[in-house]
């Protein structure tokens, strides 16, 4: 009942030419795929061009961040309205690189998630533990806190707009994927928590992606888990062949 959802997070990669080549390559390779929702999230400055290259394709456009105010004196920031204006449907929020490199807090991420939903965007809301937190047996506590704080003040109806992405920080960009078992275990915990927050019916409808060194060769195994509804893909989303292969595996 949950349609799989694969999103590519291009992070601070590509240039204009490369971004367009990636977009048009994916458009060709994925034409006709309709059993999987697919999105790509390029850097802000390439959103409009990539959106144009993807027009009349089945690939949606997403951004990697937003600022929660609608407009005003916030030098260097980008609002949800601006993202909608250039054709974005999705926005990644709370990514571990924003939490740990740029210092974003649960409170700020919560403001952003609410602003995204209110502005008609679909947040891909990321959570995940650090290696030392996993080793200290604190994975459930850390991830639960992030989910509760990040989704605070959101009612069940609005929660349906959210995709949660579980991304263990130790697996991001390291080549160390969580095992299918480790992913399923945390996904099931997150779904149970979403059930407490929003009711079992809503929790059953919400998609939970896995992210962290997801690649063509581990896609099938990860996606075979009952609570893994999709993937948030970094490195492998920068290669047409790899990302297309992952979508096709799921399709
Ligand atoms: P990775 O990144 O696939 O390169 O590990 C995933 C992410 O950070 O979303």
């Amino acid at each position: 009942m949950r349609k799989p959802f694969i999103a590519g997070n291009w992070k601070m990669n590509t240039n204009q030419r490369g971004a367009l080549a990636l977009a048009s390559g994916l458009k060709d390779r994925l034409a006709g795929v309709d059993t999987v929702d697919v999105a790509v999230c390029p850097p802000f400055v390439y959103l409009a061009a990539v959106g144009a290259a993807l027009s009349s394709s089945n690939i949606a456009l997403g951004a990697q961040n937003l600022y929660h105010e609608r407009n005003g004196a916030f030098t260097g920031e980008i609002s949800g309205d601006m993202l909608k204006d250039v054709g974005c449907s999705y926005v990644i929020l709370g990514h571990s690189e924003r939490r740990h490199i740029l210092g974003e807090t649960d409170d700020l991420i919560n403001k952003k998630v609410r602003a995204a939903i209110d502005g008609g965007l679909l947040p891909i809301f990321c959570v995940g533990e650090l290696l030392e937190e996993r080793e200290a047996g604190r994975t459930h506590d850390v991830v639960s806190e992030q989910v509760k704080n990040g989704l605070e003040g959101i009612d069940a109806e609005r929660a349906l707009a959210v995709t949660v992405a579980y991304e263990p920080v130790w697996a991001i960009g390291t080549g160390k994927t969580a095992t299918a078992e480790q992913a399923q275990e945390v996904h099931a915990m997150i779904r149970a928590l979403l059930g407490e927050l929003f009711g079992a019916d809503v929790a059953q409808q919400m998609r939970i992606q896995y992210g962290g060194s997801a690649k063509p060769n581990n896609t099938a195994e990860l996606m075979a888990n009952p609570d893994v509804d999709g993937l948030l893909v970094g490195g492998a989303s920068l290669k047409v062949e790899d990302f297309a292969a992952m979508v096709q595996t799921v399709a």
Side-chain angles (χ1 to χ4, degrees), residues 24-225:
S24 61
L26 290 173
K27 181 176 173 173
D28 291 346
R29 285 290 306 271
L30 298 178
V33 170
D34 59 4
T35 53
V36 182
D37 285 338
V38 181
V40 294
C41 305
F44 286 132
V45 290
Y46 305 132
L47 281 170
V50 167
L54 293 175
S55 71
S56 62
S57 80
N58 47 358
I59 304 172
L61 191 65
Q64 300 173 20
N65 186 24
L66 59 65
Y67 193 64
H68 55 277
E69 298 288 350
R70 298 192 73 167
N71 51 47
F74 304 102
T75 301
E77 295 296 328
I78 306 283
S79 72
D81 287 352
M82 293 170 183
L83 299 180
K84 286 282 289 186
D85 195 28
V86 295
C88 288
S89 312
Y90 294 96
V91 60
I92 298 171
L93 295 172
H95 190 277
S96 73
E97 286 144 22
R98 297 218 58 90
R99 291 178 187 268
H100 300 296
I101 303 174
L102 284 310
E104 290 198 9
T105 61
D106 280 348
D107 180 53
L108 179 64
I109 294 161
N110 176 248
K111 289 194 176 91
K112 294 183 177 200
V113 173
R114 291 204 261 181
I117 300 172
D118 291 346
L121 289 161
L122 303 169
I124 299 173
F125 162 58
C126 306
V127 295
E129 82 286 1
L130 298 164
L131 183 60
E132 56 264 38
E133 292 167 337
R134 173 163 285 266
E135 286 173 343
R138 295 184 52 231
T139 299
H140 283 208
D141 289 350
V142 169
V143 172
S144 304
E145 279 304 294
Q146 290 174 338
V147 170
K148 278 191 248 173
N149 294 337
L151 299 180
E152 201 184 301
I154 292 166
D155 60 21
E157 194 189 323
R158 293 193 305 155
L160 286 169
V162 178
T163 296
V164 178
Y166 169 57
E167 300 203 299
V169 179
W170 47 272
I172 295 177
T174 58
K176 259 198 242 169
T177 321
T179 63
E181 216 169 42
Q182 285 171 324
Q184 168 57 26
E185 197 247 335
V186 180
H187 282 230
M189 183 279 286
I190 293 171
R191 196 173 311 283
L193 177 58
L194 295 173
E196 286 170 31
L197 297 172
F198 306 118
D201 184 45
V202 167
Q204 283 306 318
Q205 294 178 62
M206 290 177 71
R207 294 187 289 200
I208 307 175
Q209 292 177 322
Y210 167 81
S213 300
K215 296 185 278 283
N217 66 8
N218 54 32
T219 294
E221 198 188 345
L222 287 163
M223 289 298 296
N225 291 287

